[in-house]
């Protein structure tokens, strides 16, 4: 059994989080930089949840709450630590956070090409909604 700690990230961990995502997460984001991670943590100090084992980041999820919607992003686990219940523990912590804040439903952002991710979300009880599509517009 793995000795796992789930806790919120701190702003000074931005570089380590970015290095973890480069190794563990599918896809990239326009916010994949130190200022982006730092802004997230400063705006909502409980949003970026980390799983730590053996003194290193082995998992993450962003549990964003805007007062209306509960949104999940960047669920990732270090490849060498997968299939040990880390994503389940991260999702449990995120869902507990949302419930405590009054959330009624959690939405997950999942890359269409991420087959492993889609299977993980389905196994966690999440269902794909065919009637919704994401519309985006770059601001910079």
């Amino acid at each position: 059994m793995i000795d796992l700690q789930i806790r919120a990230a701190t702003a000074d961990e931005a570089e380590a989080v970015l290095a973890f995502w480069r190794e563990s997460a599918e896809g990239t984001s326009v916010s994949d930089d130190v200022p982006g991670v730092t802004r997230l943590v400063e705006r909502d100090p409980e949003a970026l949840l980390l799983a730590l084992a053996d003194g290193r980041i082995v998992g993450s999820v962003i549990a964003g709450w805007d007062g209306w919607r509960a949104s999940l992003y960047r669920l990732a686990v270090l490849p060498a630590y997968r299939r040990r219940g880390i994503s389940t523990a991260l999702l449990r912590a995120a869902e507990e956070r949302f419930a405590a804040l009054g959330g009624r439903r959690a939405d997950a952002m999942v890359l269409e090409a991420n087959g492993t991710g889609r299977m993980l979300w389905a196994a966690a009880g999440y269902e794909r909604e065919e009637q919704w599509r994401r519309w985006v517009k770059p601001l910079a």
Side-chain angles (χ1 to χ4, degrees):
M1 186 67 175
I2 187 171
D3 184 23
L4 190 67
Q5 176 191 15
I6 306 287
R7 67 162 173 79
T10 60
D12 64 336
E13 292 177 299
E15 289 278 358
V17 167
L18 290 168
F20 164 76
W21 284 343
R22 281 190 294 275
E23 186 173 356
S24 304
E26 292 274 337
T28 59
S29 167
V30 296
S31 303
D32 281 355
D33 55 26
V34 170
V37 174
T38 302
R39 273 191 308 274
L40 169 67
V41 172
E42 288 175 350
R43 183 188 172 282
D44 186 351
E46 303 297 318
L48 176 51
L49 299 174
L50 300 178
L52 294 106
D54 305 320
R56 68 187 296 197
I57 299 170
V58 298
S60 75
V61 68
I62 298 173
W65 171 253
D66 64 8
W68 181 263
R69 288 189 175 85
S71 301
L72 294 161
Y73 311 89
R74 287 299 171 105
L75 177 61
V77 174
L78 198 65
Y81 284 79
R82 291 181 182 161
R83 304 204 52 83
R84 298 186 192 187
I86 295 170
S87 63
T88 300
L90 283 163
L91 286 177
R92 184 178 312 117
E95 291 165 358
E96 288 172 0
R97 167 180 157 75
F98 293 149
L101 293 168
R104 296 181 184 171
R105 180 185 81 185
D107 296 331
M109 296 292 291
V110 184
L111 289 172
E112 194 64 30
N114 185 351
T116 301
R118 289 194 332 263
M119 287 188 295
L120 180 146
W121 287 103
Y126 288 75
E127 297 177 2
R128 180 180 173 157
E129 289 194 340
E130 294 294 333
Q131 71 269 27
W132 295 99
R133 290 292 178 259
R134 183 174 179 203
W135 293 44
V136 298
K137 177 184 176 183
L139 298 177

